[in-house]
């Protein structure tokens, strides 16, 4: 019961943070309120929906309307307070990062609750945290951030490994979740601050053609 409550709180916080991020991106594209809400919902529930379908359970947002209501609150927050939030440096990036970390933890804990091994839970955490952003970018006709630029999904994986390492040492779920959250956020922040990224794949044929 306690674990279910913790997962619910994490998912609500993650929903709000991700919805804010998605709605703000929609606003930058001059979407109307409905379009912004759809984008916010997509990024907020997308990853969790994929996770729940893979776990063979009812998608979390279909069990209660609270997640859709939470997204509506995020829409109103952006609509009425966005101009005061805009001057805050990196405010929208912070919301996206918080959502990424929170949903990663939610994905891991729900997968473990369904009896999945830790390696599956880490993958599910990554899907929960990053898949919503992919859906958002597709809706906005942008190249998904997960495939380029700074480290994104790998932050979820490393945060998940940190969770697993602590749990293996007998650390409580609450402490493991907090440390995983901090690790995921820290990696994402450092990756953006210092422009860290994974090696880029190169098209050998194209390089040979260009060298001629």
């Amino acid at each position: 019961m306690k674990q279910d409550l913790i997962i619910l709180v994490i998912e609500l916080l993650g929903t709000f943070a991700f919805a804010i991020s998605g709605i703000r991106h929609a606003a930058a594209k001059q979407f109307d309120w409905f379009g912004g809400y759809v984008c916010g919902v997509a990024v907020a529930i997308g990853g969790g929906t994929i996770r729940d379908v893979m776990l063979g359970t009812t998608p979390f947002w279909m069990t209660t309307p609270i997640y859709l209501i939470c997204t509506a609150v995020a829409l109103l927050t952006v609509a009425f307070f966005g101009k005061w939030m805009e001057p805050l440096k990196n405010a929208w990036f912070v919301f996206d990062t918080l959502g990424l970390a929170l949903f990663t933890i939610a994905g891991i804990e729900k997968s473990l609750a369904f009896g999945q091994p830790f390696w599956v839970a880490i993958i599910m955490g990554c899907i929960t945290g990053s898949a919503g952003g992919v859906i958002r970018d597709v809706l906005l006709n942008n190249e998904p951030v997960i495939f380029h630029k700074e480290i994104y999904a790998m932050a979820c994986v490393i945060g998940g490994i940190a969770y697993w390492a602590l749990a293996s040492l007998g650390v409580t779920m609450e402490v493991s979740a907090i440390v995983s959250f901090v690790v995921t956020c820290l990696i994402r922040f450092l990756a953006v601050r210092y422009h860290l990224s994974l090696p880029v794949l190169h098209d050998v044929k194209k390089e040979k053609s260009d060298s001629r």
Side-chain angles (χ1 to χ4, degrees), residues 1-205:
M1 189 68 178
K2 181 180 179 182
Q3 185 175 4
D4 291 340
L5 179 60
I6 292 174
I7 292 176
L8 175 63
V9 172
I10 291 174
E11 286 187 334
L12 285 175
L13 292 173
T15 296
F16 183 76
F18 254 168
I20 287 264
S21 170
I23 293 166
R24 181 62 188 90
H25 278 81
K29 291 276 189 174
Q30 300 294 301
F31 281 27
D32 61 17
W33 280 39
F34 179 75
Y37 182 76
V38 170
C39 190
V41 168
V43 68
I45 71 173
T49 299
I50 295 174
R51 172 203 66 206
D52 289 346
V53 169
M54 294 178 72
L55 290 175
T57 186
T58 302
F60 69 104
W61 60 271
M62 296 177 67
T63 61
T64 171
I66 188 63
Y67 300 102
L68 300 180
I69 295 172
C70 186
T71 302
V73 173
L75 174 66
L76 295 175
T77 300
V78 174
F80 292 108
F81 302 105
K83 62 181 180 180
W84 286 284
M85 299 172 70
E86 187 66 31
L88 299 177
K89 186 177 180 181
N90 297 325
W92 308 116
F93 162 71
V94 170
F95 277 114
D96 185 67
T97 300
L98 294 178
L100 181 73
L102 288 167
F103 270 156
T104 297
I105 296 169
I108 291 173
E109 294 188 344
K110 190 163 188 177
S111 299
L112 293 176
F114 272 75
Q116 297 296 330
F118 241 112
W119 65 272
V120 173
I122 292 174
I123 294 173
M124 289 297 182
C126 182
I127 290 173
T128 308
S130 61
V134 175
I135 297 172
R136 174 201 63 205
D137 292 337
V138 170
L139 288 175
L140 296 173
N141 198 30
N142 294 329
E143 183 179 3
V145 69
I146 189 177
F147 299 136
H148 70 109
K149 293 184 178 179
E150 304 87 3
I151 292 173
Y152 191 78
M154 281 303 300
C156 303
V157 174
I158 297 173
I161 292 175
Y163 191 114
W164 166 76
L166 291 173
S168 299
L169 295 174
V171 178
T172 63
M173 183 185 73
E174 292 84 354
V175 174
S176 298
I178 292 172
V179 173
S180 177
F181 174 82
V182 172
V183 168
T184 303
C185 289
L186 187 61
I187 290 174
R188 180 78 177 120
F189 288 144
L190 291 175
V192 172
R193 174 65 178 83
Y194 295 104
H195 306 290
L196 304 177
S197 62
L198 297 176
V200 177
L201 290 172
H202 296 284
D203 188 337
V204 177
K205 290 183 178 179

